[in-house]
């Protein structure tokens, strides 16, 4: 069975070509994708995670509010029982100040993202992370069920 990626963005972000790009990238790299579309409220994301139990959650945001709402997103979602360990990644244009975005990325990782990326430069690293998610799923699926 393919690994499942839940693709989302922050509540204020109305852009969607970035989401289409990420959906195609994830699909080309062997994932089934549920794309929640633009302007996703935190509670909708949490309920989608509980319903679909994704192997990874990918947040793509480019309107410049990612460093604020992305932090609120991970803080809110981590409070939900059952969602403490799901790997979350965030990327795009995290703020309107490109010179500060790498610092915001560190802040987002401290808040709970496995990794935060700025722009397209992080894509090779991101793809490596996806490989790890896929191989973990393969390993788990061949292990015998717990007694
Ligand atoms: C098209 C566009 C729009 C369209 C959106 C149409 C649509 N259906 O999506 C419209 C006109 C509606 C629009 C509106 C607005 N926009 Co606009 N928009 C753009 C524009 C020109 C292109 C965005 C795009 O589609 N890119 C194509 C995708 C494929 O590329 P990408 O998003 O950059 O994604 C790449 C990387 O960021 C990365 N990536 C993305 N997500 C992720 C996730 C992960 C995990 C990883 C690893 C990588 C990654 O990979 C992708 C490929 O390299 C950009 C400027 C630009 N040239 O980028 C401005 C831009 C994003 N918009 C901007 C703004 C400010 C707005 C508005 C607020 C304007 C306004 N005052 O109303 C509104 C937003 C409203 C809202 N609530 O969000 C700013 C954001 C500011 C910032 N971050 O610095 C930009 C950068 C323009 C600018 N230079 O000021 N916009």
């Amino acid at each position: 069975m393919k690994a499942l990626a839940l693709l989302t963005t922050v509540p204020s972000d109305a852009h969607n070509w970035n989401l289409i790009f990420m959906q195609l990238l994830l699909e080309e790299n062997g994932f089934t994708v549920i794309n929640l579309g633009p302007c996703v409220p935190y509670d909708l994301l949490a309920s989608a995670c509980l319903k679909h139990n994704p192997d990874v959650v990918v947040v793509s945001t480019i309107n410049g509010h990612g460093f604020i709402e992305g932090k609120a997103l991970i803080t809110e979602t981590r409070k939900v029982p059952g969602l403490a360990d799901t790997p979350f990644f965030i990327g795009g244009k995290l703020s309107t100040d490109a010179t500060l975005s790498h610092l915001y990325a560190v802040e987002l990782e401290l808040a709970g993202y496995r990794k935060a990326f700025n722009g397209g430069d992080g894509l090779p690293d991101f793809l490596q992370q996806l490989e790890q998610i896929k191989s973990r799923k393969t390993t788990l699926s061949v292990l015998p069920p717990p007694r």
Side-chain angles (χ1 to χ4, degrees), residues 11-25:
S12 73
D13 202 332
H15 294 87
N16 52 35
W17 289 117
N18 52 311
L19 295 172
I20 301 292
F21 175 89
M22 293 307 293
Q23 177 171 350
L24 294 173
L25 183 77

Side-chain angles (χ1 to χ4, degrees), residues 69-115:
E69 294 183 10
K71 193 170 171 184
L73 181 160
I74 194 75
T75 307
E76 289 304 310
T77 315
R78 288 294 187 223
K79 286 182 198 158
V80 178
L83 300 182
D85 297 323
T86 311
F88 276 60
F89 294 91
I90 187 168
K93 295 181 170 68
L94 296 178
S95 81
T96 52
D97 186 342
T99 61
L100 284 179
S101 284
H102 68 286
L103 292 177
Y104 293 130
V106 174
E107 203 177 325
L108 288 163
E109 287 169 6
L110 289 172
Y113 288 93
R114 186 166 288 187
K115 196 107 197 215

